[in-house]
Amino acid sequence: MLASGSILGGAVADTVQEIDHLLNFVGSSKCQFDRNGTIHCGPEARDHINRKYVYYKKKVASTEDFIKFSATRSKISGRRYTVHCPDSAVMNTSDWLLDELTRFRKDGAG
């Protein structure tokens, strides 16, 4: 029983670390974020995503859930959030964050 609790605790800790990383990644980004036709800088996007995370926290069981609930689309309009980075095609913010999550896990930081 103790071992499974330890594994679960580790998974929760990993998820928290990954979410913190993604929030910092967004906040420090030089990309621009389109939310309902309005462009926002990294820190503004981070703050908005974090507010949504706080709102949906009870539904978030994984980092992928965090992205799904907090960084995919507007709850009000249903429009997808997009990210505009220099020298890159416009991407859905959820895809951009999933790519960063994959890189973060591959690097062994997650």
Side-chain angles (χ1 to χ4, degrees):
M1 191 73 146
L2 181 60
S4 66
S6 297
I7 291 169
L8 179 59
V12 170
D14 287 347
T15 299
V16 170
Q17 182 183 19
E18 289 171 350
I19 291 170
D20 285 346
H21 170 74
L22 292 178
L23 286 168
N24 288 328
F25 177 71
V26 170
S28 65
S29 174
K30 300 299 181 203
C31 300
Q32 295 184 317
F33 299 84
D34 183 340
R35 194 177 85 235
N36 291 321
T38 303
I39 300 298
H40 301 273
C41 65
E44 292 169 340
R46 178 203 55 227
D47 292 347
H48 177 76
I49 291 168
N50 191 54
R51 281 191 301 276
K52 285 186 76 174
Y53 171 52
V54 169
Y55 180 81
Y56 286 111
K57 200 168 195 171
K58 290 181 181 178
K59 294 183 177 186
V60 173
S62 67
T63 309
E64 288 81 1
D65 284 346
F66 160 75
I67 293 168
K68 174 184 166 187
F69 288 111
S70 305
T72 298
R73 68 180 67 241
S74 169
K75 180 181 175 194
I76 296 168
S77 72
R79 287 177 59 182
R80 287 190 157 280
Y81 299 149
T82 58
V83 60
H84 306 252
C85 297
D87 301 321
S88 297
V90 174
M91 291 183 73
N92 289 325
T93 303
S94 56
D95 294 335
W96 183 69
L97 290 175
L98 287 168
D99 287 350
E100 176 58 18
L101 178 60
T102 299
R103 187 205 60 76
F104 185 70
R105 287 175 174 167
K106 181 181 172 202
D107 289 349

